[in-house]
Amino acid sequence: MLFRSLNEPQKSIKYYEAAIEGDPGNIAYLYGLSSAQAALGDIDAAISTLNRVSNKLPGNALPWQYMGIQYSRFGRFNEAVEALKESIEINPKLENTRWLLAETYTMARQFDSALMEYQWLIGNSSKKDVAYLKQGIVYQIAKDNKKAKAAYLNAVKTNPKLADAYNNLANLTLETKINYKKGLQWAQRAVSLTPDNPIFLDTLGWLYYQVGDYPNARKYLDKAVKNQPKLAELHYHLAKVYEKLNDKVSANKHFAEAKRIDKH
């Protein structure tokens, strides 16, 4: 019987250890043991087990990829980067590892390296639009809004139905407080593509708030809150709109809910 590692890691470890003792060459058992060890929180044991796999499969990139994933899960981003780089050294065309490495560089705040990986993906992946989107996110985190905007525009040029890129473009106008009119157009496009996304609805509603169109702001923020009632920022934005509409009862209700969800 196979145990589900995430739900019963200790039982899984015992099972896999017994299975490996009976069949020490079975790579699947070693991968299972590593997964169970990680689920139990023992990252060092999980990595040690994956090293056993890499020793058995010296020309295989996957054990190193899994090491990178596990290190990243535990916030050990520099070690994750080194493992993923080793995986790419073995197999430079393993696209999934490139995505993982780019994300890990971003979490490690090694932005230049992340951007280089996304540039590789732009040139080599069928998901060029997503690579542009992710590149824009890195630029935005690094506070280079001009390059972020260019990347998002490349994303929607590559894929005119990429709602996330339109939403991020709209958010840039909120961050920079420049050209809310254009921001509204982008936010409307994002919502038209994904009508029930509470984050997109929030962006659109908050842009209407910025330009003083409070009825439309209430319309979209109310829908955002209904779709995601556990996000404090949505309640806060809706409360600010009700303030402008002189509905103090509703404003206080949503301010209180925002504070209940997030006391800060």
Side-chain angles (χ1 to χ4, degrees), residues 14-236:
K14 290 180 180 178
Y15 169 82
Y16 285 121
E17 286 177 338
I20 290 165
E21 189 174 341
D23 186 3
N26 192 310
I27 299 300
Y29 290 151
L30 287 170
Y31 278 128
L33 175 60
S34 174
S35 177
Q37 290 165 332
L40 194 63
D42 194 344
I43 178 61
D44 292 323
I47 295 299
S48 178
T49 301
L50 287 170
N51 272 315
R52 289 168 64 184
V53 177
S54 69
N55 289 334
K56 290 178 179 292
L57 303 172
N60 194 309
L62 286 178
W64 293 97
Q65 183 191 97
Y66 294 145
M67 284 185 221
I69 292 169
Q70 298 296 6
Y71 274 132
S72 185
R73 280 184 58 207
F74 285 84
R76 291 165 62 170
F77 300 124
N78 290 333
E79 291 161 295
V81 162
E82 292 307 312
L84 293 168
K85 284 167 66 176
E86 183 68 28
S87 180
I88 289 171
E89 184 73 22
I90 295 169
N91 185 353
K93 295 183 179 181
L94 199 60
E95 185 180 318
N96 189 39
T97 309
R98 295 278 187 174
W99 287 104
L100 290 168
L101 181 55
E103 291 281 358
T104 306
Y105 274 134
T106 303
M107 290 186 286
R109 302 191 70 81
Q110 298 181 37
F111 298 135
D112 289 343
S113 296
L115 290 167
M116 286 178 62
E117 288 303 316
Y118 284 127
Q119 196 61 45
W120 185 93
L121 288 160
I122 287 166
N124 294 276
S125 172
S126 60
K127 299 178 181 178
K128 182 184 292 189
D129 56 336
V130 178
Y132 276 126
L133 171 68
K134 297 284 190 177
Q135 196 176 60
I137 291 169
V138 175
Y139 279 126
Q140 195 167 356
I141 294 170
K143 306 299 183 184
D144 192 337
N145 290 328
K146 184 177 180 180
K147 288 184 178 179
K149 179 180 178 181
Y152 294 142
L153 288 172
N154 279 328
V156 297
K157 182 178 179 181
T158 305
N159 178 4
K161 294 185 178 181
L162 190 61
D164 291 271
Y166 289 110
N167 183 69
N168 288 4
L169 282 163
N171 264 315
L172 277 177
T173 68
L174 286 168
E175 284 187 17
T176 60
K177 300 180 180 180
I178 296 172
N179 203 351
Y180 288 146
K181 183 178 179 181
K182 188 63 179 176
L184 275 169
Q185 292 174 4
W186 284 322
Q188 288 163 349
R189 178 67 171 151
V191 169
S192 72
L193 290 164
T194 313
D196 295 321
N197 186 306
I199 303 304
F200 298 172
L201 290 164
D202 176 61
T203 302
L204 180 55
W206 198 233
L207 275 162
Y208 275 122
Y209 174 89
Q210 299 302 325
V211 300
D213 185 344
Y214 304 121
N216 265 322
R218 177 179 58 188
K219 172 184 174 182
Y220 290 103
L221 285 165
D222 185 63
K223 187 175 180 182
V225 166
K226 287 177 180 175
N227 289 356
Q228 179 49 277
K230 296 182 179 181
L231 196 59
E233 187 176 15
L234 305 187
H235 286 281
Y236 177 77

Side-chain angles (χ1 to χ4, degrees), residues 206 209 232-244 247-264:
W206 198 233
Y209 174 89
E233 187 176 15
L234 305 187
H235 286 281
Y236 177 77
H237 284 170
L238 184 54
K240 296 291 286 184
V241 171
Y242 277 121
E243 268 191 335
K244 293 293 186 181
D247 185 342
K248 292 183 179 180
V249 173
S250 297
N252 289 336
K253 171 188 170 184
H254 287 285
F255 277 134
E257 184 64 11
K259 193 170 184 178
R260 187 192 68 80
I261 296 168
D262 182 352
K263 63 182 180 181
H264 299 296

